[in-house]
Amino acid sequence: MHVLESSMYVAVNMLGDSVIQHLEKNGSGSLQSHIKDLSALLSLRITVISKTGDVLADSDQDPLTMDNHLRRPEIQAASITGIGATARYSTTLGREYRYLAVPLALNGEVLAYIRVAKSLSEFAAEVTEERSMLIRNSIFIALLALALGFVFFSQQANKLEHLIVVLKDFTNGKFEKRLPDAGSLGLSEISESINQIARQSEISFSRVAEDRNRLATVFTCMVEGVIDVDLEQTILHVNDAAVRLLSIVSISFVGQPICHAIRNQTITDALDRAIKQNTVERAQVVLQRDLSTITLDVYAASLQNDYFEPMGAVLVLHDITEVTNLERIRTDFVANASHELKTPIAAIRAITETLLDDRAIDLESTQHFIKRLHAQSLRVADLIQDLMTISRLESSQGISDYSKVDLRALINRAVEVAKIPAGEKNQIIETKLPDEEFFLFADSHNLSQLLDNLLDNAVKYTQDSGLISIILECDRRWVTLKVCDNGLGMSSDQQQRIFERFYRVDKARSQSLGGTGLGLSIVKNIAEKHGGSIEVTSKIGAGSTFTLRLPTDTGAATDA
């Protein structure tokens, strides 16, 4: 309360000379307007009372409707001691006010009394709001500048108005403007201090904004999903990766308990333990998403403030679906490769043991065993060759020998090779190719192997006297090659797995035909290395169609 009275006393003393000048020159005619202007500037209620108690001017009420104020406590005290202060409820305005009054004297004679009033509720609200250092400094400087400016208010109103505007911008966080030199007011040092505060504050705010934007960008662009919660596990922030991994709507769940967004007991239990035990908890969960599943590594870590007090936790979600799948594929690959190698090696071992143990075996039987031994060794060689091919394709050096190759010539060459085994089964291979040459920038060796594998697969799984068709189409974007047959066909489940390593539609038939189970897997790898794709459509008993699509916009061109 002492601070309030001090500020009111300073204000009322500054107003005294200005009011006396108006009373001398104009009487009370223009005083009402002048008092209202001063009240708006100082945020105080101002009342001018004659020495007989009549209200000459009041910033908030019409003086003609107001009672005689001579008996008011503050006026009585001012007439006796030279200053009167009191706090009471204003029936006129309906609020508790603090009043301070002083007499206005000229040549030792009291002309009138000037009273200022401030709402106690407004004062308390102002004190509560002025918290930050920047605002306190700005308000202090503004009040000091205004206090000094009131002395010369009539002559320097425009400059003070500009000062107020600039300071208001400062308090709102806008630091672009600067105060001009106020030497005529004697405020040069104050102006420079305000400008210095503005410059420093602008730098600080810029750094804070830059750090905040940088962190927000990093948070948004993270591959890992991140969810920030408070101690009650209410979601504070969610990044895009977490939204994608958990299939939630970020806007809908921010501000809501995390259990509403993530209905997974393993995740929420890990978060509970992290918050209660102040630790980092790890878990692994498998979530069902439409027709697929994803595997997530979940890390829940508690958060602390600068005083080591718990303030919530952060949940980090790492998608390890691909890693898990690769591990499964690696395990299956090792198992299948071992199994595929085991069969011919066992056969070779059995044949050699027979030849070694039976020294009296006849020449015809020996020739028979040697042929079988040769066939099994070829099977091992083919299997090893296919394994090396897949390893080469999946390595960083998978495709490096690019050149301009004629796709029509490669197809015709592959057809000529395939006609030998096809002729043994009385099969017909027909082609539908463009009349002109078609050049593609690709690895000719890999594309030849792709075509050989597709045709070899078609010949093996097409019955005697069957038909195999090769169709080549091209447009501005894609080269499309179709290999069609009217062979055995396959079910939809088999079509989804046909490009897996060692997968066979008819295992017994494949082994009897000498297949390794890696041919179509190699086809898929070569297609993807060239930026293309391979698909299959099939129906049991009606044959299959393998469709290869390669892009033309990364090196393909046509020449007549």
Side-chain angles (χ1 to χ4, degrees):
M1 193 63 68
H2 176 70
V3 175
L4 177 60
E5 286 186 2
S6 298
S7 63
M8 294 171 66
Y9 184 73
V10 172
V12 77
N13 280 321
M14 287 192 301
L15 295 171
D17 293 339
S18 177
V19 172
I20 290 175
Q21 290 178 8
H22 272 270
L23 289 175
E24 284 184 320
K25 295 179 180 179
N26 307 316
S28 61
S30 62
L31 185 59
Q32 178 71 11
S33 175
H34 183 58
I35 288 300
K36 285 189 175 182
D37 292 339
L38 293 176
S39 174
L41 187 64
L42 297 175
S43 298
L44 293 172
R45 181 186 179 189
I46 304 173
T47 308
V48 180
I49 304 162
S50 70
K51 61 182 179 180
T52 60
D54 295 327
V55 178
L56 302 178
D58 187 87
S59 60
D60 291 3
Q61 295 290 318
D62 184 356
L64 298 178
T65 62
M66 299 177 68
D67 298 334
N68 189 285
H69 281 43
L70 189 61
R71 297 297 179 186
R72 298 293 170 92
E74 63 273 12
I75 303 301
Q76 289 290 313
S79 64
I80 297 172
T81 64
I83 183 172
T86 184
R88 70 171 184 275
Y89 183 80
S90 172
T91 56
T92 305
L93 300 178
R95 283 186 290 183
E96 187 79 13
Y97 273 84
R98 185 71 180 177
Y99 295 93
L100 188 143
V102 297
L104 298 176
L106 183 63
N107 300 325
E109 180 183 354
V110 175
L111 298 180
Y113 296 93
I114 182 169
R115 184 187 70 177
V116 294
K118 180 73 173 181
S119 170
L120 295 180
S121 61
E122 291 179 2
F123 178 72
E126 290 176 2
V127 172
T128 302
E129 291 175 358
E130 296 173 357
R131 297 292 185 187
S132 71
M133 180 63 70
L134 177 62
I135 294 177
R136 287 201 302 270
N137 289 341
S138 299
I139 295 298
F140 171 76
I141 296 172
L143 290 175
L144 181 59
L146 289 174
L148 296 175
F150 292 151
V151 179
F152 306 98
F153 177 75
S154 300
Q155 297 81 12
Q156 305 294 340
N158 291 334
K159 291 185 178 180
L160 289 176
E161 229 175 80
H162 179 67
L163 176 64
I164 294 171
V165 170
V166 172
L167 289 174
K168 283 183 178 179
D169 285 343
F170 290 174
T171 59
N172 291 327
K174 300 177 182 178
F175 304 99
E176 296 83 3
K177 295 181 180 179
R178 296 290 182 268
L179 290 176
D181 182 22
S184 59
L185 289 174
L187 300 177
S188 296
E189 292 184 0
I190 294 177
S191 297
E192 179 57 31
S193 297
I194 293 176
N195 289 337
Q196 183 65 24
I197 291 175
R199 284 189 290 269
Q200 294 176 352
S201 299
E202 185 174 17
I203 294 172
S204 299
F205 270 67
S206 178
R207 289 175 179 173
V208 170
E210 182 180 352
D211 291 342
R212 181 191 61 212
N213 294 335
R214 184 184 297 273
L215 289 175
T217 302
V218 172
F219 184 71
T220 302
C221 297
M222 286 180 64
V223 176
E224 292 80 8
V226 181
I227 301 177
D228 179 24
V229 300
D230 59 17
L231 286 175
E232 286 72 35
Q233 297 190 23
T234 299
I235 297 177
L236 302 179
H237 301 94
V238 181
N239 72 346
D240 295 340
V243 171
R244 174 179 52 82
L245 292 174
L246 298 175
S247 297
I248 62 176
V249 180
S250 58
I251 298 178
S252 302
F253 286 103
V254 171
Q256 299 294 323
I258 194 171
C259 59
H260 292 177
I262 306 175
R263 301 187 181 277
N264 185 281
Q265 194 64 38
T266 303
I267 296 178
T268 53
D269 286 348
L271 195 59
D272 285 335
R273 292 194 301 271
I275 293 177
K276 293 178 181 178
Q277 301 175 14
N278 191 26
T279 58
V280 177
E281 297 292 328
R282 179 181 178 182
Q284 189 174 106
V285 296
V286 178
L287 302 178
Q288 186 68 34
R289 290 290 175 265
D290 298 328
L291 300 178
S292 63
T293 59
I294 62 172
T295 305
L296 300 179
D297 254 350
V298 179
Y299 293 86
S302 62
L303 299 177
Q304 297 178 338
N305 59 20
D306 294 338
Y307 302 100
F308 303 101
E309 298 171 343
M311 56 182 290
V314 61
L315 198 65
V316 180
L317 310 172
H318 182 54
D319 187 0
I320 60 170
T321 304
E322 184 176 355
V323 175
T324 305
N325 290 338
L326 289 175
E327 180 64 23
R328 177 184 59 80
I329 291 173
R330 185 190 65 83
T331 303
D332 292 345
F333 178 76
V334 172
N336 289 328
S338 301
H339 178 75
E340 292 295 332
L341 286 170
K342 180 180 179 181
T343 301
I345 290 174
I348 291 173
R349 180 179 179 182
I351 293 171
T352 55
E353 288 177 350
T354 301
L355 292 174
L356 290 172
D357 293 342
D358 191 357
R359 297 183 181 276
I361 192 170
D362 58 83
L363 181 59
E364 183 179 352
S365 297
T366 300
Q367 292 292 331
H368 170 72
F369 282 125
I370 291 176
K371 288 181 180 179
R372 289 182 57 190
L373 188 63
H374 179 67
Q376 294 297 332
S377 65
L378 290 177
R379 182 177 176 186
V380 172
D382 289 343
L383 182 59
I384 292 175
Q385 182 63 38
D386 285 347
L387 289 174
M388 292 178 63
T389 299
I390 287 181
S391 177
R392 177 176 58 84
L393 290 172
E394 291 184 349
S395 70
S396 60
Q397 300 176 351
I399 294 181
S400 57
D401 190 14
Y402 280 101
S403 62
K404 188 177 180 181
V405 297
D406 183 3
L407 189 56
R408 287 177 70 254
L410 290 181
I411 294 173
N412 288 328
R413 189 180 307 123
V415 169
E416 290 300 320
V417 174
K419 280 183 178 180
I420 297 175
E424 296 175 357
K425 300 176 67 174
N426 296 322
Q427 294 173 343
I428 298 174
I429 301 179
E430 63 177 17
T431 59
K432 296 180 181 179
L433 309 178
D435 295 334
E436 68 277 5
E437 294 177 329
F438 186 83
F439 288 94
L440 194 67
F441 192 70
D443 188 319
S444 61
H445 175 73
N446 282 338
L447 282 186
S448 294
Q449 189 173 12
L450 179 149
L451 294 170
D452 290 340
N453 284 348
L454 285 178
L455 287 173
D456 180 66
N457 184 78
V459 171
K460 286 179 178 178
Y461 291 95
T462 301
Q463 65 274 17
D464 294 352
S465 302
L467 175 64
I468 299 173
S469 301
I470 301 175
I471 304 171
L472 178 63
E473 300 172 342
C474 53
D475 55 31
R476 292 184 178 180
R477 295 187 58 191
W478 295 99
V479 177
T480 303
L481 175 68
K482 295 182 180 181
V483 179
C484 311
D485 64 66
N486 58 355
L488 300 177
M490 65 190 87
S491 65
S492 58
D493 292 338
Q494 293 170 334
Q495 293 175 45
Q496 294 178 5
R497 301 188 59 190
I498 191 64
F499 295 104
E500 294 181 10
R501 299 167 182 171
F502 298 109
Y503 181 78
R504 295 185 176 93
V505 175
D506 187 342
K507 188 171 183 179
R509 180 182 177 90
S510 298
Q511 290 181 344
S512 66
L513 295 173
T516 63
L518 295 173
L520 291 180
S521 179
I522 292 174
V523 168
K524 181 180 179 182
N525 272 276
I526 294 174
E528 291 178 349
K529 283 290 184 179
H530 284 80
S533 63
I534 182 75
E535 298 176 351
V536 61
T537 56
S538 182
K539 186 176 181 182
I540 295 178
S544 304
T545 298
F546 287 85
T547 303
L548 171 69
R549 286 165 58 86
L550 298 175
T552 61
D553 57 356
T554 56
T558 56
D559 289 331

